[in-house]
Amino acid sequence: MPITTIIEPFRIKSVEPIRCTTREQREELLKAAGYNLFLLPSGDVLIDLLTDSGTGAMSTEQWAAVMRGDESYAGSPSFDRFRDSVQEIFGYRHVIPTHQGRAAERILFGTICRKGDIVPNNTHFDTTRANVEFVGAEAIDLPSPEAREPGHPYSFKGNMDVAALEQLIVRTARGRIPLVMLTITNNSGGGQPVSMENARAVSALCRRHGIPLYFDACRFAENAYFIKVREPGYAEKTPKRIAQEMFALGDGCTMSAKKDGMANIGGFLCTNDDALARQEKDLLILTEGYPTYGGLAGRDLEAVAVGLQEALHEDYLQYRIASIAYLGNHIASQGVPIMQPPGGHAVYLDARAFLPHVPPEQFPGVALANELYLEGGIRSVEIGTLMFAGAARMDLVRLAIPRRVYTQSHIDYVVEVILEVWQRRERIRGMKLLEEAPFLRHFTAKMEPL
Ligand SMILES: Cc1ncc(COP(=O)(O)O)c(C=O)c1O
């Protein structure tokens, strides 16, 4: 019989203790935090699934590269290694380092967009949207219609609605769409992948109309792996070749290396446009740093150079995608409502279906996230009525899995905690908002149980 167990393809060399608290302590901690999990000290969290951004574990090769970091202000060989690694995968002419993804976004939109412009995306991430709007442009989401069905397991729910994009281009004045963006994977849409077929169709449309196509490439390796296992014709190709094929369809990208760069900090902006690159580098010098380090130390550039390559290793991606599916499938098989299929970096609980007796104005996602902490010290994040107020179409609780950090027994524990909360769901009450900031209120809001 062939061995089918998928294991963590690494062994652990350095360990960090995590702290168990009692239920009574967690009750007090929640009260002190105003029932807002962002306000908990991380030392009081047992399993932290707040985000997969910058929370991964670096490899021995990355730590070795850190020691090679050259901290010269200009002309550092660490930048050469960073640029070469990025170019090998992404293939773009100009590589501009930034301290994280949103800095790349600010520089891109600050140079390419004007007031009144329109930027279409399959779904803008919140910092992407904010940076588009900051320059007075309009951010428009064009997800495929399948994305609107949380329970339906379509293979490529991250796709863009190509027909809607075409209509938008046709009815918009020429020159008012400075670029189209494709976010891979589609984070706000549930960590769902974009197919090569869809990217090809978007690219062809953009080229026909002379509009540049940029990728928001944060989770490009996870997206490539989904293409390999789900899209006809790709099973025999390596994730790197798939990523290269996808990036060749575009003209540039923004990247947060805190995701598939496998680093704790870092990002970059790429473009094939020489004139634009000149303007972008001028802006970079003003706010991030000299073009051979951007907002990063030489050692960070080294960690990203190695991490980008490691993110594409097939054994790692197989384990990564399998461990997310393992969590999602185990709870879904017991009836827990989740966004289907499980995404590339996270499982999303459908809090409205989990707690049908708690109406959206009583924040079912916040109530559920609080219960997961109370039951087992697990931190997740609400993506729903607290985060988006009246604009929320769903109330979700995202369980984002940091890269190479937790083992299968941690995930088994998370499954057990979720199922325990599921058993007593009818007794869970909604929440009342006590205090809120005028914008991005979810970070600081104070709540209490009803
Ligand atoms: C799709 C997407 N784009 C952009 C960003 C912004 O990256 P950063 O947090 O490094 O600024 C994120 C971060 O979560 C993201 O998920």
Side-chain angles (χ1 to χ4, degrees):
M1 285 262 286
I3 305 290
T4 55
T5 306
I6 295 168
I7 60 166
E8 288 86 1
F10 48 80
R11 54 185 181 178
I12 297 164
K13 196 168 197 168
S14 171
V15 296
E16 185 183 6
I18 48 179
R19 188 170 95 90
C20 280
T21 47
T22 64
R23 194 185 176 91
E24 290 68 39
Q25 285 172 326
R26 291 195 290 276
E27 273 168 14
E28 285 308 309
L29 286 160
L30 273 182
K31 202 166 168 188
Y35 299 90
N36 183 338
L37 303 184
F38 278 106
L39 303 180
L40 285 174
S42 65
D44 294 322
V45 175
L46 185 63
I47 308 276
D48 204 345
L49 308 183
L50 185 70
T51 176
D52 66 319
S53 179
T55 53
M58 293 215 295
S59 67
T60 47
E61 289 303 314
Q62 283 178 292
W63 283 113
V66 162
M67 291 308 295
R68 243 190 340 261
D70 179 298
E71 305 304 340
S72 305
Y73 189 93
S76 163
S78 295
F79 174 72
D80 296 343
R81 284 189 279 271
F82 171 86
R83 181 203 51 218
D84 291 351
S85 179
V86 173
Q87 275 179 335
E88 197 222 337
I89 300 164
F90 292 73
Y92 300 122
R93 211 155 42 239
H94 301 277
V95 178
I96 300 172
T98 60
H99 79 278
Q100 60 184 87
R102 67 198 68 185
E105 291 165 359
R106 187 185 54 79
I107 291 170
L108 173 64
F109 300 128
T111 46
I112 207 171
C113 281
R114 299 285 166 268
K115 196 166 184 294
D117 282 350
I118 287 176
V119 179
N121 198 324
N122 44 349
T123 311
H124 287 85
F125 181 67
D126 56 10
T127 58
T128 324
R129 171 174 290 279
N131 275 297
V132 168
E133 291 172 352
F134 187 70
V135 296
E138 189 184 352
I140 294 191
D141 291 340
L142 299 173
S144 65
E146 292 83 17
R148 285 186 247 283
E149 295 176 58
H152 209 292
Y154 292 105
S155 294
F156 290 104
K157 267 175 137 172
N159 282 352
M160 182 176 251
D161 184 336
V162 184
L165 177 64
E166 182 153 30
Q167 283 168 17
L168 180 70
I169 293 173
V170 167
R171 70 166 190 265
T172 303
R174 224 183 139 67
R176 295 310 340 221
I177 300 183
L179 77 167
V180 169
M181 283 201 97
L182 257 185
T183 303
I184 56 171
T185 58
N186 190 341
N187 182 7
S188 311
Q192 301 293 333
V194 173
S195 70
M196 191 70 79
E197 186 187 17
N198 186 253
R200 220 180 277 126
V202 171
S203 170
L205 182 61
C206 288
R207 288 195 173 152
R208 216 160 47 244
H209 291 273
I211 300 172
L213 171 64
Y214 277 68
F215 290 94
D216 177 341
C218 296
R219 299 178 181 85
F220 74 97
E222 291 165 8
N223 201 92
Y225 190 74
F226 279 123
I227 290 176
K228 182 180 171 71
V229 294
R230 292 185 185 169
E231 191 161 349
Y234 287 92
E236 300 307 318
K237 293 191 179 169
T238 61
K240 186 182 279 183
R241 274 202 52 199
I242 296 170
Q244 288 165 334
E245 183 177 331
M246 180 159 277
F247 291 128
L249 297 169
D251 303 281
C253 71
T254 56
M255 172 75 187
S256 167
K258 299 172 75 174
K259 286 82 170 178
D260 280 349
M262 306 288 246
N264 302 119
I265 195 72
F268 52 88
L269 169 60
C270 290
T271 181
N272 280 338
D273 183 327
D274 298 339
L276 191 65
R278 257 197 310 279
Q279 288 175 48
E280 287 171 345
K281 285 180 196 172
D282 288 346
L283 195 53
L284 185 84
I285 291 172
L286 198 64
T287 59
E288 286 279 302
Y290 192 72
T292 56
Y293 71 87
L296 295 171
R299 54 181 169 270
D300 300 326
L301 295 167
E302 296 276 2
V304 174
V306 175
L308 288 168
Q309 302 290 335
E310 289 183 353
L312 287 164
H313 290 178
E314 219 163 303
D315 57 351
Y316 159 72
L317 283 167
Q318 184 191 31
Y319 135 80
R320 170 83 178 150
I321 301 303
S323 63
I324 313 279
Y326 179 88
L327 169 59
N329 294 341
H330 268 73
I331 56 175
S333 69
Q334 300 300 309
V336 175
I338 65 166
M339 288 265 280
Q340 287 284 10
H345 67 292
V347 169
Y348 294 67
L349 307 178
D350 182 348
R352 285 190 195 174
F354 199 114
L355 303 174
H357 56 286
V358 179
E361 60 276 17
Q362 292 178 10
F363 308 101
V366 179
L368 179 53
N370 267 282
E371 287 300 323
L372 297 179
Y373 180 71
L374 197 58
E375 188 65 43
I378 297 167
R379 176 154 69 172
S380 54
V381 64
E382 185 251 21
I383 299 186
T385 307
L386 181 63
M387 192 178 273
F388 299 122
R393 282 191 296 116
M394 294 186 270
D395 278 283
L396 303 173
V397 172
R398 187 185 72 180
L399 304 156
I401 314 294
R403 292 169 180 79
R404 303 189 292 206
V405 169
Y406 294 116
T407 62
Q408 184 171 339
S409 64
H410 290 118
I411 300 295
D412 284 334
Y413 172 85
V414 173
V415 169
E416 205 178 327
V417 170
I418 295 171
L419 294 180
E420 192 56 38
V421 172
W422 175 243
Q423 291 307 319
R424 56 176 179 77
R425 61 192 180 278
E426 281 159 17
R427 283 178 275 135
I428 297 171
R429 290 167 296 157
M431 308 293 295
K432 185 169 130 191
L433 188 57
L434 299 179
E435 236 181 86
E436 62 178 311
F439 48 85
L440 296 176
R441 65 180 183 170
H442 52 289
F443 289 122
T444 53
K446 296 277 170 63
M447 326 270 293
E448 79 181 7
L450 282 165

